[in-house]
Amino acid sequence: MKVLFLNGPNLNLLGQREPGIYGKVTLADIELAVRAEAAKSETEVDFRQSNVEGELVTWIQQAKGEFGAIVLNAAAYTHTSVALRDAIAATGVPTIEIHISNVHARENFRHESMIAPVCVGQIAGFGLNSYLLGLSSALMITVD
Ligand code: CA2
């Protein structure tokens, strides 16, 4: 079983700015924690980040046939991207939306998710653990 973790814009800055909202962990720390957890169930993980919307779209399209699930922190594109939503719907790979922060407790514009209707579900507000919960959820919804 292979799970694709995708991270959207500015998540490469994690741990460097706004520690009050996003904590002190870096994306590299998160990747290490995800890989350690995945190893327990012999789950293969691919972990990527891009600041480019089209690159995320391409990766989602290419996931079909290779990955059993996508765990997606689309960051700001969550709230704006019809392109990501269409890619998720088109590819048909079960996708779990995740967020480090509780987007529903923040500004109104973060309450809306363009991608939520085409995702299996949403996990938000658990910090680094949102990624681990995303992994557990991916393992629960996939059979191969
Ligand atoms: O809580 C999350 O995981 C978000 O997806 C993070 C996005 C935000 O736009 C979403 O509404 C919620 C922002 C990621 C940018 O991360 C930064 C990290 C350090 C400094 C500045 C931004």
Side-chain angles (χ1 to χ4, degrees):
M1 156 73 171
K2 285 173 78 173
V3 180
L4 176 61
F5 281 77
L6 292 182
N7 295 281
N10 297 309
L11 285 165
N12 54 311
L13 299 177
L14 275 183
Q16 299 170 33
R17 304 206 187 113
E18 301 201 57
I21 299 174
Y22 300 116
K24 284 186 180 166
V25 291
T26 65
L27 199 58
D29 294 331
I30 293 175
E31 180 176 356
L32 272 178
V34 166
R35 288 194 181 284
E37 192 58 32
K40 295 178 190 170
S41 55
E42 290 179 21
T43 301
E44 233 182 283
V45 163
D46 199 329
F47 198 97
R48 306 177 195 169
Q49 187 273 332
S50 179
N51 294 325
V52 181
E53 187 176 16
E55 191 161 35
L56 294 163
V57 167
T58 299
W59 288 339
I60 291 167
Q61 289 178 6
Q62 291 172 345
K64 194 175 175 64
E66 193 183 347
F67 294 94
I70 299 171
V71 179
L72 173 62
N73 185 348
Y77 291 144
T78 303
H79 317 297
T80 62
S81 181
V82 177
L84 284 182
R85 178 194 180 122
D86 288 350
I88 296 163
T91 199
V93 177
T95 299
I96 297 153
E97 175 183 351
I98 66 162
H99 299 285
I100 295 165
S101 63
N102 179 359
V103 284
H104 302 288
R106 299 182 64 192
E107 304 96 322
N108 282 341
F109 69 86
R110 294 186 205 275
H111 299 177
E112 192 178 342
S113 168
M114 278 284 173
I115 62 173
V118 294
C119 287
V120 180
Q122 185 192 64
I123 297 163
F126 297 96
L128 178 153
N129 287 327
S130 291
Y131 284 78
L132 301 180
L133 291 166
L135 175 64
S136 305
S137 309
L139 296 176
M140 284 173 198
I141 59 168
T142 49
V143 281
D144 54 346

